[in-house]
Structure formats: C-alpha cells, structure tokens
mmCIF file of all heavy atoms in Angstrom:
data_model
loop_
_atom_site.group_PDB
_atom_site.id
_atom_site.type_symbol
_atom_site.label_atom_id
_atom_site.label_comp_id
_atom_site.label_asym_id
_atom_site.label_seq_id
_atom_site.Cartn_x
_atom_site.Cartn_y
_atom_site.Cartn_z
ATOM 1 N N HIS M 1 -7.009 -19.870 -7.906
ATOM 2 C CA HIS M 1 -7.742 -20.287 -9.073
ATOM 3 C C HIS M 1 -6.924 -20.040 -10.343
ATOM 4 O O HIS M 1 -6.988 -20.836 -11.279
ATOM 5 C CB HIS M 1 -9.069 -19.542 -9.158
ATOM 6 C CG HIS M 1 -9.873 -19.828 -10.391
ATOM 7 N ND1 HIS M 1 -10.526 -21.036 -10.591
ATOM 8 C CD2 HIS M 1 -10.107 -19.067 -11.495
ATOM 9 C CE1 HIS M 1 -11.119 -21.019 -11.764
ATOM 10 N NE2 HIS M 1 -10.900 -19.831 -12.327
ATOM 11 N N PHE M 2 -6.160 -18.950 -10.394
ATOM 12 C CA PHE M 2 -5.366 -18.620 -11.561
ATOM 13 C C PHE M 2 -4.002 -19.283 -11.571
ATOM 14 O O PHE M 2 -3.221 -19.072 -12.487
ATOM 15 C CB PHE M 2 -5.158 -17.078 -11.629
ATOM 16 C CG PHE M 2 -6.383 -16.340 -12.094
ATOM 17 C CD1 PHE M 2 -6.449 -14.959 -11.974
ATOM 18 C CD2 PHE M 2 -7.433 -16.993 -12.710
ATOM 19 C CE1 PHE M 2 -7.548 -14.238 -12.433
ATOM 20 C CE2 PHE M 2 -8.530 -16.289 -13.168
ATOM 21 C CZ PHE M 2 -8.596 -14.940 -13.040
ATOM 22 N N GLY M 3 -3.684 -20.063 -10.542
ATOM 23 C CA GLY M 3 -2.353 -20.689 -10.495
ATOM 24 C C GLY M 3 -1.263 -19.706 -10.156
ATOM 25 O O GLY M 3 -0.143 -19.762 -10.679
ATOM 26 N N ILE M 4 -1.581 -18.771 -9.261
ATOM 27 C CA ILE M 4 -0.662 -17.716 -8.850
ATOM 28 C C ILE M 4 -0.183 -17.986 -7.433
ATOM 29 O O ILE M 4 -0.994 -18.231 -6.539
ATOM 30 C CB ILE M 4 -1.330 -16.326 -8.942
ATOM 31 C CG1 ILE M 4 -1.624 -15.981 -10.413
ATOM 32 C CG2 ILE M 4 -0.454 -15.256 -8.308
ATOM 33 C CD1 ILE M 4 -2.382 -14.678 -10.580
ATOM 34 N N CYS M 5 1.124 -17.948 -7.247
ATOM 35 C CA CYS M 5 1.702 -18.150 -5.916
ATOM 36 C C CYS M 5 1.469 -16.946 -5.044
ATOM 37 O O CYS M 5 1.678 -15.813 -5.468
ATOM 38 C CB CYS M 5 3.202 -18.433 -6.084
ATOM 39 S SG CYS M 5 4.088 -18.713 -4.515
ATOM 40 N N TRP M 6 1.083 -17.169 -3.798
ATOM 41 C CA TRP M 6 0.727 -16.115 -2.859
ATOM 42 C C TRP M 6 1.701 -16.185 -1.679
ATOM 43 O O TRP M 6 1.671 -17.150 -0.921
ATOM 44 C CB TRP M 6 -0.725 -16.332 -2.389
ATOM 45 C CG TRP M 6 -1.241 -15.403 -1.349
ATOM 46 C CD1 TRP M 6 -0.971 -15.436 -0.020
ATOM 47 C CD2 TRP M 6 -2.203 -14.320 -1.544
ATOM 48 N NE1 TRP M 6 -1.683 -14.450 0.649
ATOM 49 C CE2 TRP M 6 -2.430 -13.741 -0.273
ATOM 50 C CE3 TRP M 6 -2.835 -13.812 -2.655
ATOM 51 C CZ2 TRP M 6 -3.297 -12.675 -0.108
ATOM 52 C CZ3 TRP M 6 -3.694 -12.723 -2.486
ATOM 53 C CH2 TRP M 6 -3.902 -12.192 -1.229
ATOM 54 N N THR M 7 2.568 -15.187 -1.527
ATOM 55 C CA THR M 7 3.588 -15.194 -0.473
ATOM 56 C C THR M 7 3.463 -13.942 0.389
ATOM 57 O O THR M 7 3.846 -12.841 -0.004
ATOM 58 C CB THR M 7 4.996 -15.228 -1.077
ATOM 59 O OG1 THR M 7 5.133 -16.341 -1.963
ATOM 60 C CG2 THR M 7 6.044 -15.350 0.027
ATOM 61 N N PRO M 8 2.907 -14.077 1.606
ATOM 62 C CA PRO M 8 2.833 -12.930 2.515
ATOM 63 C C PRO M 8 4.222 -12.452 2.916
ATOM 64 O O PRO M 8 5.153 -13.234 3.143
ATOM 65 C CB PRO M 8 2.073 -13.480 3.753
ATOM 66 C CG PRO M 8 1.387 -14.714 3.236
ATOM 67 C CD PRO M 8 2.267 -15.276 2.183
ATOM 68 N N ILE M 9 4.374 -11.110 2.993
ATOM 69 C CA ILE M 9 5.678 -10.517 3.366
ATOM 70 C C ILE M 9 5.611 -9.955 4.783
ATOM 71 O O ILE M 9 6.459 -10.262 5.610
ATOM 72 C CB ILE M 9 6.058 -9.435 2.362
ATOM 73 C CG1 ILE M 9 6.323 -10.073 0.984
ATOM 74 C CG2 ILE M 9 7.320 -8.684 2.842
ATOM 75 C CD1 ILE M 9 6.734 -9.067 -0.082
ATOM 76 N N VAL M 10 4.607 -9.131 5.062
ATOM 77 C CA VAL M 10 4.540 -8.510 6.393
ATOM 78 C C VAL M 10 3.124 -8.006 6.626
ATOM 79 O O VAL M 10 2.381 -7.732 5.678
ATOM 80 C CB VAL M 10 5.532 -7.361 6.495
ATOM 81 C CG1 VAL M 10 5.165 -6.195 5.605
ATOM 82 C CG2 VAL M 10 5.720 -6.891 7.938
ATOM 83 N N LYS M 11 2.725 -7.889 7.916
ATOM 84 C CA LYS M 11 1.440 -7.337 8.299
ATOM 85 C C LYS M 11 1.648 -6.043 9.065
ATOM 86 O O LYS M 11 2.591 -5.930 9.850
ATOM 87 C CB LYS M 11 0.648 -8.314 9.168
ATOM 88 C CG LYS M 11 -0.259 -9.241 8.425
ATOM 89 C CD LYS M 11 -1.202 -9.989 9.379
ATOM 90 C CE LYS M 11 -2.201 -10.830 8.616
ATOM 91 N NZ LYS M 11 -3.150 -11.509 9.525
ATOM 92 N N HIS M 12 0.737 -5.064 8.863
ATOM 93 C CA HIS M 12 0.798 -3.815 9.570
ATOM 94 C C HIS M 12 -0.619 -3.346 9.946
ATOM 95 O O HIS M 12 -1.571 -3.619 9.195
ATOM 96 C CB HIS M 12 1.475 -2.728 8.734
ATOM 97 C CG HIS M 12 2.949 -2.928 8.572
ATOM 98 N ND1 HIS M 12 3.826 -2.768 9.604
ATOM 99 C CD2 HIS M 12 3.694 -3.291 7.479
ATOM 100 C CE1 HIS M 12 5.053 -3.034 9.166
ATOM 101 N NE2 HIS M 12 4.994 -3.331 7.892
ATOM 102 N N SER M 13 -0.708 -2.628 11.059
ATOM 103 C CA SER M 13 -2.012 -2.099 11.488
ATOM 104 C C SER M 13 -2.419 -0.918 10.628
ATOM 105 O O SER M 13 -1.579 -0.281 10.007
ATOM 106 C CB SER M 13 -1.922 -1.663 12.951
ATOM 107 O OG SER M 13 -1.616 -2.742 13.793
ATOM 108 N N ALA M 14 -3.705 -0.663 10.610
ATOM 109 C CA ALA M 14 -4.235 0.475 9.852
ATOM 110 C C ALA M 14 -4.172 1.739 10.698
ATOM 111 O O ALA M 14 -4.443 1.709 11.906
ATOM 112 C CB ALA M 14 -5.658 0.190 9.413
ATOM 113 N N TYR M 15 -3.839 2.857 10.067
ATOM 114 C CA TYR M 15 -3.763 4.160 10.732
ATOM 115 C C TYR M 15 -4.624 5.169 9.998
ATOM 116 O O TYR M 15 -4.826 5.040 8.779
ATOM 117 C CB TYR M 15 -2.306 4.698 10.717
ATOM 118 C CG TYR M 15 -1.408 4.104 11.803
ATOM 119 C CD1 TYR M 15 -1.035 2.764 11.780
ATOM 120 C CD2 TYR M 15 -0.942 4.894 12.833
ATOM 121 C CE1 TYR M 15 -0.232 2.236 12.757
ATOM 122 C CE2 TYR M 15 -0.097 4.374 13.815
ATOM 123 C CZ TYR M 15 0.230 3.049 13.776
ATOM 124 O OH TYR M 15 1.058 2.537 14.764
ATOM 125 N N ALA M 16 -5.088 6.170 10.716
ATOM 126 C CA ALA M 16 -5.774 7.302 10.095
ATOM 127 C C ALA M 16 -4.722 8.364 9.765
ATOM 128 O O ALA M 16 -3.932 8.754 10.642
ATOM 129 C CB ALA M 16 -6.829 7.886 11.040
ATOM 130 N N GLN M 17 -4.703 8.827 8.524
ATOM 131 C CA GLN M 17 -3.806 9.865 8.112
ATOM 132 C C GLN M 17 -4.571 11.173 7.994
ATOM 133 O O GLN M 17 -5.593 11.227 7.279
ATOM 134 C CB GLN M 17 -3.150 9.509 6.779
ATOM 135 C CG GLN M 17 -2.369 8.212 6.804
ATOM 136 C CD GLN M 17 -1.754 7.861 5.444
ATOM 137 O OE1 GLN M 17 -1.720 8.700 4.519
ATOM 138 N NE2 GLN M 17 -1.341 6.612 5.282
ATOM 139 N N VAL M 18 -4.066 12.219 8.647
ATOM 140 C CA VAL M 18 -4.724 13.525 8.612
ATOM 141 C C VAL M 18 -3.685 14.606 8.482
ATOM 142 O O VAL M 18 -2.479 14.397 8.806
ATOM 143 C CB VAL M 18 -5.570 13.774 9.877
ATOM 144 C CG1 VAL M 18 -6.684 12.741 9.996
ATOM 145 C CG2 VAL M 18 -4.705 13.805 11.124
ATOM 146 N N GLY M 19 -4.068 15.778 8.013
ATOM 147 C CA GLY M 19 -3.168 16.885 7.932
ATOM 148 C C GLY M 19 -2.873 17.485 9.316
ATOM 149 O O GLY M 19 -3.602 17.255 10.249
ATOM 150 N N VAL M 20 -1.771 18.208 9.420
ATOM 151 C CA VAL M 20 -1.375 18.763 10.736
ATOM 152 C C VAL M 20 -2.364 19.788 11.264
ATOM 153 O O VAL M 20 -2.408 19.990 12.486
ATOM 154 C CB VAL M 20 0.044 19.401 10.641
ATOM 155 C CG1 VAL M 20 1.077 18.365 10.401
ATOM 156 C CG2 VAL M 20 0.081 20.492 9.546
ATOM 157 N N ASP M 21 -3.193 20.346 10.416
ATOM 158 C CA ASP M 21 -4.190 21.324 10.874
ATOM 159 C C ASP M 21 -5.576 20.673 11.103
ATOM 160 O O ASP M 21 -6.530 21.387 11.393
ATOM 161 C CB ASP M 21 -4.321 22.460 9.850
ATOM 162 C CG ASP M 21 -3.044 23.257 9.722
ATOM 163 O OD1 ASP M 21 -2.361 23.456 10.772
ATOM 164 O OD2 ASP M 21 -2.689 23.694 8.606
ATOM 165 N N HIS M 22 -5.633 19.385 10.952
ATOM 166 C CA HIS M 22 -6.907 18.683 11.173
ATOM 167 C C HIS M 22 -7.290 18.756 12.639
ATOM 168 O O HIS M 22 -6.421 18.715 13.517
ATOM 169 C CB HIS M 22 -6.754 17.209 10.744
ATOM 170 C CG HIS M 22 -8.066 16.483 10.592
ATOM 171 N ND1 HIS M 22 -8.777 16.034 11.677
ATOM 172 C CD2 HIS M 22 -8.765 16.152 9.481
ATOM 173 C CE1 HIS M 22 -9.869 15.435 11.240
ATOM 174 N NE2 HIS M 22 -9.897 15.491 9.927
ATOM 175 N N PRO M 23 -8.568 18.864 12.974
ATOM 176 C CA PRO M 23 -8.997 18.927 14.362
ATOM 177 C C PRO M 23 -8.543 17.732 15.221
ATOM 178 O O PRO M 23 -8.411 17.877 16.438
ATOM 179 C CB PRO M 23 -10.524 18.955 14.268
ATOM 180 C CG PRO M 23 -10.802 19.561 12.916
ATOM 181 C CD PRO M 23 -9.702 19.060 12.020
ATOM 182 N N LEU M 24 -8.240 16.613 14.597
ATOM 183 C CA LEU M 24 -7.821 15.399 15.335
ATOM 184 C C LEU M 24 -6.303 15.245 15.360
ATOM 185 O O LEU M 24 -5.815 14.284 15.965
ATOM 186 C CB LEU M 24 -8.450 14.169 14.721
ATOM 187 C CG LEU M 24 -9.960 14.102 14.643
ATOM 188 C CD1 LEU M 24 -10.407 12.829 13.936
ATOM 189 C CD2 LEU M 24 -10.577 14.157 16.055
ATOM 190 N N ALA M 25 -5.586 16.142 14.731
ATOM 191 C CA ALA M 25 -4.146 15.948 14.512
ATOM 192 C C ALA M 25 -3.349 15.816 15.814
ATOM 193 O O ALA M 25 -2.327 15.122 15.822
ATOM 194 C CB ALA M 25 -3.581 17.101 13.680
ATOM 195 N N GLN M 26 -3.786 16.429 16.883
ATOM 196 C CA GLN M 26 -3.021 16.403 18.117
ATOM 197 C C GLN M 26 -3.361 15.219 19.020
ATOM 198 O O GLN M 26 -2.762 15.070 20.085
ATOM 199 C CB GLN M 26 -3.222 17.720 18.878
ATOM 200 C CG GLN M 26 -2.837 18.952 18.088
ATOM 201 C CD GLN M 26 -1.440 18.854 17.471
ATOM 202 O OE1 GLN M 26 -0.488 18.450 18.158
ATOM 203 N NE2 GLN M 26 -1.300 19.219 16.214
ATOM 204 N N LYS M 27 -4.300 14.414 18.611
ATOM 205 C CA LYS M 27 -4.647 13.217 19.404
ATOM 206 C C LYS M 27 -3.564 12.148 19.250
ATOM 207 O O LYS M 27 -2.977 12.001 18.192
ATOM 208 C CB LYS M 27 -6.004 12.687 18.967
ATOM 209 C CG LYS M 27 -7.202 13.455 19.456
ATOM 210 C CD LYS M 27 -8.484 12.782 18.984
ATOM 211 C CE LYS M 27 -9.688 13.414 19.663
ATOM 212 N NZ LYS M 27 -9.788 12.988 21.078
ATOM 213 N N GLY M 28 -3.374 11.374 20.298
ATOM 214 C CA GLY M 28 -2.421 10.273 20.216
ATOM 215 C C GLY M 28 -2.974 9.095 19.446
ATOM 216 O O GLY M 28 -2.226 8.323 18.830
ATOM 217 N N SER M 29 -4.289 8.942 19.486
ATOM 218 C CA SER M 29 -4.992 7.886 18.759
ATOM 219 C C SER M 29 -6.435 8.302 18.580
ATOM 220 O O SER M 29 -6.877 9.279 19.204
ATOM 221 C CB SER M 29 -4.901 6.534 19.494
ATOM 222 O OG SER M 29 -5.535 6.645 20.764
ATOM 223 N N VAL M 30 -7.172 7.578 17.746
ATOM 224 C CA VAL M 30 -8.556 7.943 17.477
ATOM 225 C C VAL M 30 -9.448 6.687 17.474
ATOM 226 O O VAL M 30 -8.944 5.546 17.367
ATOM 227 C CB VAL M 30 -8.732 8.672 16.136
ATOM 228 C CG1 VAL M 30 -8.040 10.024 16.178
ATOM 229 C CG2 VAL M 30 -8.195 7.829 15.012
ATOM 230 N N TYR M 31 -10.743 6.915 17.596
ATOM 231 C CA TYR M 31 -11.730 5.878 17.431
ATOM 232 C C TYR M 31 -12.515 6.175 16.153
ATOM 233 O O TYR M 31 -12.493 7.297 15.638
ATOM 234 C CB TYR M 31 -12.679 5.823 18.632
ATOM 235 C CG TYR M 31 -12.037 5.343 19.890
ATOM 236 C CD1 TYR M 31 -11.374 6.251 20.729
ATOM 237 C CD2 TYR M 31 -12.062 4.008 20.248
ATOM 238 C CE1 TYR M 31 -10.775 5.828 21.907
ATOM 239 C CE2 TYR M 31 -11.452 3.560 21.421
ATOM 240 C CZ TYR M 31 -10.816 4.476 22.256
ATOM 241 O OH TYR M 31 -10.207 4.020 23.392
ATOM 242 N N LEU M 32 -13.183 5.173 15.628
ATOM 243 C CA LEU M 32 -13.967 5.371 14.404
ATOM 244 C C LEU M 32 -15.001 6.481 14.590
ATOM 245 O O LEU M 32 -15.288 7.230 13.656
ATOM 246 C CB LEU M 32 -14.651 4.059 13.977
ATOM 247 C CG LEU M 32 -13.691 2.961 13.476
ATOM 248 C CD1 LEU M 32 -14.474 1.704 13.215
ATOM 249 C CD2 LEU M 32 -12.954 3.414 12.221
ATOM 250 N N ALA M 33 -15.574 6.578 15.785
ATOM 251 C CA ALA M 33 -16.558 7.623 16.052
ATOM 252 C C ALA M 33 -15.933 9.020 15.930
ATOM 253 O O ALA M 33 -16.632 9.996 15.545
ATOM 254 C CB ALA M 33 -17.141 7.443 17.442
ATOM 255 N N ASP M 34 -14.650 9.156 16.255
ATOM 256 C CA ASP M 34 -13.949 10.449 16.117
ATOM 257 C C ASP M 34 -13.860 10.845 14.654
ATOM 258 O O ASP M 34 -13.896 12.034 14.321
ATOM 259 C CB ASP M 34 -12.549 10.361 16.716
ATOM 260 C CG ASP M 34 -12.557 10.063 18.215
ATOM 261 O OD1 ASP M 34 -13.511 10.524 18.885
ATOM 262 O OD2 ASP M 34 -11.648 9.387 18.674
#
C-alpha cells in the first residue's frame, strides 16, 4: 500500500530461549505445554 518493495531474505524456525538453570534447559526440544 505504501509503495515499499518487499524482498524476503531467509526463513528460520522459532526456538524457545531459556537460561542454563531453567528446568527445561536440559531438554533436546520442548512442546508448548512444557
């Protein structure tokens, strides 16, 4: 609408970031319920 060019560069998956002392830190992956 504004006349702005839109150029995708790259896509990446979303990750959960937690501190090393977080209860989930040692898991290889998590679910939203976790």
Side-chain angles (χ1 to χ4, degrees):
H1 176 72
F2 283 167
I4 294 175
C5 180
W6 176 283
T7 305
I9 295 179
V10 67
K11 269 191 174 183
H12 289 290
S13 299
Y15 279 68
Q17 300 178 15
V18 299
V20 292
D21 295 325
H22 195 282
L24 301 176
Q26 302 309 315
K27 284 181 170 287
S29 62
V30 293
Y31 291 87
L32 291 175
D34 298 328

